[in-house]
Amino acid sequence: MSEKQPERAGEPERPEGSSVPDEVWERFIRDSERDIRASAPKEPSARARMVTERLREQEARGVEPEGWRTGPAWQEMRKAEGRTTRRRRLWAVIGVPLAAAVALVAVRPSLLPGDPFKTSSGSASSGATEAARELPAETAAPTAAPSQAAPGTPTLERPFAGSPAERYADGAAGILVPDAKPVGPLTEEQVARALRQTKALLVGANIDRKTLLGGRPTSALALLDPKQPRMLDDVNGWLRKPDVKHDPLWLFSRFDPHEVRLVGDVVKTRGHMTFKAGTRASVVIHADYTFVYPLAQADQKSTEVARTIVRRILDIEVSDPRKYQVTPGKLALLAYDEDLANSACFVYDGFLHPQFDSVAPTGATPSGPAVDPYDRSRVLSHSDGVSCGSVSRT
């Protein structure tokens, strides 16, 4: 830009170290030593193997670990020229493996013999009719988590049963564009176009079936401003060779079609979009949306349905092209945050990996209190240092 360049995506900074209070470490040892060792990942990630080896070397030298971090340090403080982004993965299994059976019954009542919340015909209870009524559009951040949905187990025919998402809008219909008005030097039409393109970016990155099945998110990439320093190059690098420092899941929802298949044609969507004047003769658009994906294992004979919930928060800027070196009709990303619920932790292959009840958990054991991925009143904190948590429901 001629006056001031947009904030850009760069390599994340890696903090030099982090520690936790002694009592937290002691509690971790006391509560997890037996369970975590008994349920060690069958196929640990490269980072997990590296950390394990380092801990063994420290133990051999008689050195106690300085602290315990559930995720890579750079994820906790990833900043680039004032732009802060955050990732948090939430595992579907609640608590340590010994408690999983009890917890899963609480989340999935159908695991109890007889499925007491279903009628004798096997159809959902009468509460399903009420649950299926679409919620009014969200115009601002809610103040509380949604109430528990009517009991039910997801099926191929009704994949959102027992979930608040059953009342969410379908796909792009859930991304409502607010009425435009002039902002600074930008006309009403310019603002309206920026809002429409923000919706198109969300659809291309999170709803487009090609993107979801692991393909290149062409439509979303086409909306990014090539004049924003490094941004487009960075995103292409994430897609080309994903790893812990270059993860396309920061912006795109992608599943491995060799592992899972999408159930039906609907992705449930809920959220809101707002805009305000920016500091660079611009409009800044704030988008906060939750996407709920119903999935089954790739084997066509499998009928078990799991859900992965992704919440994304984007801040997008469109500047006046008469004053700044920007591409008319393109979007600059100021910030992008996400919560990934029911996706394996410490797997950086560019895909979301949902957990199914019938499959033994692999990968890292979740830690910390369980959170509700449907709670859209939650602020995505950048300081909690958690990258592998647990969820209360999916």
Side-chain angles (χ1 to χ4, degrees):
M1 287 186 177
S2 58
E3 298 184 25
K4 183 179 180 182
Q5 293 182 346
E7 300 178 34
R8 69 186 188 182
E11 291 296 330
E13 297 177 4
R14 185 184 295 274
E16 298 198 0
S18 175
S19 61
V20 296
D22 291 342
E23 60 270 17
V24 175
W25 174 254
E26 291 173 358
R27 185 169 64 251
F28 169 79
I29 294 296
R30 184 180 61 251
D31 294 344
S32 304
E33 181 177 20
R34 177 187 58 189
D35 301 320
I36 292 180
R37 289 180 179 176
S39 60
K42 297 179 181 179
E43 295 181 4
S45 65
R47 176 172 176 80
R49 293 193 296 269
M50 178 185 69
V51 171
T52 300
E53 182 62 26
R54 177 170 56 80
L55 292 175
R56 287 174 178 169
E57 292 174 357
Q58 288 180 339
E59 183 178 1
R61 297 195 306 268
V63 177
E64 289 295 327
E66 294 180 356
W68 181 264
R69 184 179 292 113
T70 59
W74 70 271
Q75 288 182 354
E76 301 168 17
M77 300 177 63
R78 183 156 60 95
K79 299 180 180 179
E81 298 183 0
R83 176 185 58 78
T84 302
T85 60
R86 175 180 179 271
R87 114 185 285 187
R88 185 178 187 211
R89 289 200 179 187
L90 302 173
W91 195 225
V93 179
I94 304 171
V96 295
L98 288 181
V102 175
L104 285 173
V105 167
V107 177
R108 298 284 182 89
S110 62
L111 295 181
L112 291 173
D115 195 357
F117 295 108
K118 282 197 169 186
T119 63
S120 58
S121 64
S123 61
S125 65
S126 58
T129 302
E130 177 66 24
R133 295 179 182 174
E134 189 172 308
L135 292 170
E138 182 180 291
T139 57
T143 58
S147 59
Q148 291 293 327
T153 301
T155 64
L156 295 177
E157 294 75 25
R158 195 172 155 223
F160 300 101
S163 159
E166 194 164 33
R167 299 185 64 195
Y168 289 4
D170 292 353
I175 304 177
L176 299 180
V177 175
D179 294 333
K181 63 181 180 180
V183 173
L186 300 180
T187 66
E188 179 178 330
E189 175 52 36
Q190 286 176 308
V191 173
R193 182 180 184 183
L195 292 168
R196 292 194 302 268
Q197 289 177 319
T198 298
K199 175 176 180 175
L201 177 65
L202 290 165
V203 170
N206 302 281
I207 298 175
D208 180 83
R209 202 166 185 87
K210 176 183 175 182
T211 300
L212 297 182
L213 294 176
R216 183 173 175 79
T218 307
S219 63
L221 293 172
L223 293 167
L224 301 182
D225 192 341
K227 292 185 178 180
Q228 182 180 9
R230 297 186 61 182
M231 187 70 237
L232 198 54
D233 287 342
D234 284 350
V235 174
N236 279 314
W238 304 345
L239 290 163
R240 184 169 54 251
K241 192 175 180 180
D243 60 32
V244 65
K245 294 184 180 180
H246 313 89
D247 195 341
L249 296 181
W250 293 335
L251 282 180
F252 309 111
S253 296
R254 308 169 79 237
F255 298 92
D256 184 350
H258 297 98
E259 178 186 356
V260 297
R261 68 183 193 272
L262 296 170
V263 176
D265 299 322
V266 174
V267 172
K268 288 290 188 176
T269 308
R270 185 160 182 80
H272 62 275
M273 187 186 305
T274 59
F275 64 94
K276 64 180 181 179
T279 59
R280 289 186 288 270
S282 63
V283 60
V284 174
I285 300 169
H286 180 78
D288 182 344
Y289 285 89
T290 296
F291 303 91
V292 185
Y293 304 98
L295 304 147
Q297 296 177 67
D299 182 357
Q300 293 296 323
K301 296 180 181 179
S302 176
T303 60
E304 181 185 1
V305 176
R307 290 184 289 254
T308 288
I309 303 98
V310 175
R311 182 181 175 189
R312 297 197 184 278
I313 301 179
L314 303 179
D315 287 324
I316 293 170
E317 184 176 53
V318 174
S319 298
D320 185 349
R322 297 172 299 178
K323 296 185 176 182
Y324 291 90
Q325 295 178 14
V326 296
T327 305
K330 302 295 183 179
L331 306 175
L333 292 177
L334 296 182
Y336 42 94
D337 300 347
E338 79 282 349
D339 264 9
L340 310 178
N342 191 13
S343 181
C345 299
F346 310 123
V347 178
Y348 303 105
D349 60 359
F351 296 115
L352 294 159
H353 295 279
Q355 173 67 38
F356 292 87
D357 289 347
S358 62
V359 180
T362 61
T365 301
S367 61
V371 299
D372 183 354
Y374 294 101
D375 182 2
R376 293 188 37 75
S377 68
R378 284 192 303 122
V379 175
L380 302 190
S381 170
H382 292 268
S383 60
D384 62 7
V386 176
S387 61
C388 185
S390 57
V391 294
S392 59
R393 56 180 171 175
T394 61

